[in-house]
Amino acid sequence: MKSHCPYCALQCGIELEGSAQTPALVGDAGFPVNEGALCIKGWTAASLLRHPERLTSPLARDAGGALRTVGWDEALRRIVDAVSGVQARHGKDAVGVLGSGALTNEKAYLLGKFARVALGSASIDYNGRFCMSSAAAAAVRAFGVDRGLPFPLEDIPLAEAILLVGANPAETMPPLVRYFQAQRKAGGALIVADPRRTATALSDALHLPLAPGTDAVLANGLLHVLVRDGFVDEDYVRARTEGFEAVRALCAAYWPERVERLTGVPQGDVVRAARLLGQARTAMVLTARGAEQQAQGVANVLAFVNLALALGLPGRRGSGFGTLTGQGNGQGGREHGQKADQLPGYRRIDDPAARAHVARVWGIGADELPGAGRSAFEMLDGIGSEGGVKALLVFGTNPAVSAPHGRAIADRLARLECLIVSDFFLSETASLAHVVLPSTQWAEEDGTTTNLEGRVVRRRKAFDAPRGVRTDLEILGALARALGQGDGFAFESAQDVFEELRRASAGGPADYAGITYERIDREGGVFWPCPSQDHPGTPRLFTRRFPTKNGRARFHAVRPAGPAEAPDADYPLFLTTGRVLAHYQSGTQTRRVAELVEREPEPVAEIHPLLARHHGLEAGDTLRLSTRRGELRLRVKLVPAMRQDTVFVPFHWGGVQSANRLTNPALDPVSRMPEFKVCAARIEDKAVSAAESVERGVA
Ligand code: SF4
């Protein structure tokens, strides 16, 4: 059975054989994205199907507060009683829903419909708010539409120069690296802007080691050189864009010496990088979470979009601007209505025409549709305060680990009148829940996902789920029926849901109307927008015009603001967070895979040897790292390629190992993205030696 990896947005093709008890998994050599290659996460994904910690029956709290096994009927009754009671006392919006970029398109779509139709609540958002929201908001502002990569991956080797900003695919999606290797083999140049010299930057790439939070300064500085040295594609700028003159004037103030002072990147390298981009006949600018997960994430992305527009890249083969989506269905998950301000098809919820169209498909009046809700962090942070949600349904995400200022968020979750979690393991969030619903895993269900290129692919059911487990689609249908709203949720299959999604998305920016399961099977995936069944799909966007009102892309003059919390006398270091090869997101799955745990058993703090020496630390010692929000004890890894003022901590662990206990919940004013990637930190003086660490166990 052909399917796709459950983890990241590359959605590598996989072939499954055997049974759920003894599954065999290989990479699908026929799927063009990975041609059989997988990373270690993909290789080991099937080991979770019959994992001993798998949830196989619903759980609910007993009178003593312990979670105990209950039947589905009791679990659903408890949820309906809690939801109805909360809504009767506090209003419809007091019941919230938190979705995920890990859900299939069908689940994401049905979750949005469930919140707005069955619950009648505006309070829905999803964990992509912590992941893709800044890139998405910037793309909509600049290009009129947000598709992470507006071109297929096969274009990457055609680029003579690529600037990769805050991305580390060598660890986060290793099969993607072969595209960059092909680009290098063809003589192309790779420039990597990242505070860390990551595995991606370790090759013979030109590494720009910018200080965390200075991304937009670097972008403005690169554009300064492009303008100064005559590399701007004036014809393209004149014919296809607007707003460049303000940007040209602003960038005049970002000369290389000043950029070096502000970012730490040597001025010679700023000039070299700009010239590599400027001299290339084909070039790409690609951003990822490093630049985006900041309180000025939208501005950062827009500053790099400016570079691509000035060089005339978007819409040309082998060239363009793109962002590397992270989660498995991070692209589709942001298109079909689980976002607080959106309806299916990437429509705006405040657009009267969009409301009328979707309401018609859903068989309700447009005035019955709620308006925009609060963003994910604001919904979570508002728990316990006036107007905050009192009950929350969580599907496929683990905010107790993944939200910034995690300890405060875990406390808030514990204060809910009712927390309901659908998951296949007892995650840190599920362990706080009043009711836990056991759901199917990727190889046990049908559906579609949309990968980082905008290619819609099929997830296929290969094995039956363990007895007692249900799909999220079945759970939502049963809940809607129990709430007396079953009419709009009587779907027989995932394909039935997709058929309705096609109609709901028709005419929207992310138009799936022409995509069918049969076409995906036949064509190996279909790129949206695809408005009709005789439309070929759209691998490359922007070739003739941008989907803005006047068909032009927009420049934005970006005045960098710096991080919300800069280092100071009390907290003199930067803390930045990210991923490691062996783990994925909050680690609910990968921390249960023996091979992955063996590789990366715990979070370690990466610091420069000189910083370590300054604090009397050696490799393997345990340091105490604190920010204004908390403290962690972490084993030390010495990394000579780190900046001396920066500590890196991966975020895949929970409880006392959770990096997000330290992160700053400052939000981007547009995208409401928290500032995961930079805050002020310090290493406390009293370290714990390596020998003591072993004796006491870390943390
Ligand atoms: Fe899965 Fe991503 Fe690894 Fe591919 S790169 S195997 S999609 S985790």
Side-chain angles (χ1 to χ4, degrees), residues 4-14 33-34 37-43 45 169 171-176 326 328 579 581 583-584:
H4 293 273
C5 174
Y7 293 119
C8 85
L10 207 51
Q11 285 296 280
C12 291
I14 273 179
V33 168
N34 61 311
L38 298 173
C39 78
I40 187 168
K41 297 185 288 291
W43 281 117
E171 291 205 67
T172 56
M173 30 179 86
L176 180 62
R579 288 173 51 188
L581 173 65
H583 289 288
Y584 180 71

Side-chain angles (χ1 to χ4, degrees), residues 6-132:
Y7 293 119
C8 85
L10 207 51
Q11 285 296 280
C12 291
I14 273 179
E15 291 186 33
L16 286 155
E17 288 179 355
S19 67
Q21 282 71 28
T22 54
L25 177 159
V26 293
D28 178 358
F31 186 59
V33 168
N34 61 311
E35 292 182 330
L38 298 173
C39 78
I40 187 168
K41 297 185 288 291
W43 281 117
T44 55
S47 66
L48 293 170
L49 295 172
R50 286 295 184 271
H51 193 281
E53 292 173 39
R54 181 84 191 266
L55 298 173
T56 54
S57 57
L59 306 171
R61 297 239 169 242
D62 64 17
L67 279 174
R68 67 176 174 83
T69 300
V70 296
W72 275 97
D73 287 347
E74 182 178 346
L76 294 175
R77 183 184 52 73
R78 286 217 196 185
I79 295 168
V80 170
D81 286 352
V83 163
S84 306
V86 164
Q87 290 196 315
R89 288 191 300 279
H90 304 287
K92 297 274 189 195
D93 295 346
V95 175
V97 176
L98 189 66
S100 162
L103 304 179
T104 60
N105 291 321
E106 292 78 356
K107 293 181 191 181
Y109 169 80
L110 203 63
L111 197 62
K113 182 178 179 183
F114 175 82
R116 293 173 178 121
V117 177
L119 296 175
S121 173
S123 303
I124 176 167
D125 207 39
Y126 83 125
N127 68 2
R129 187 70 69 174
F130 298 164
C131 184
M132 294 310 301

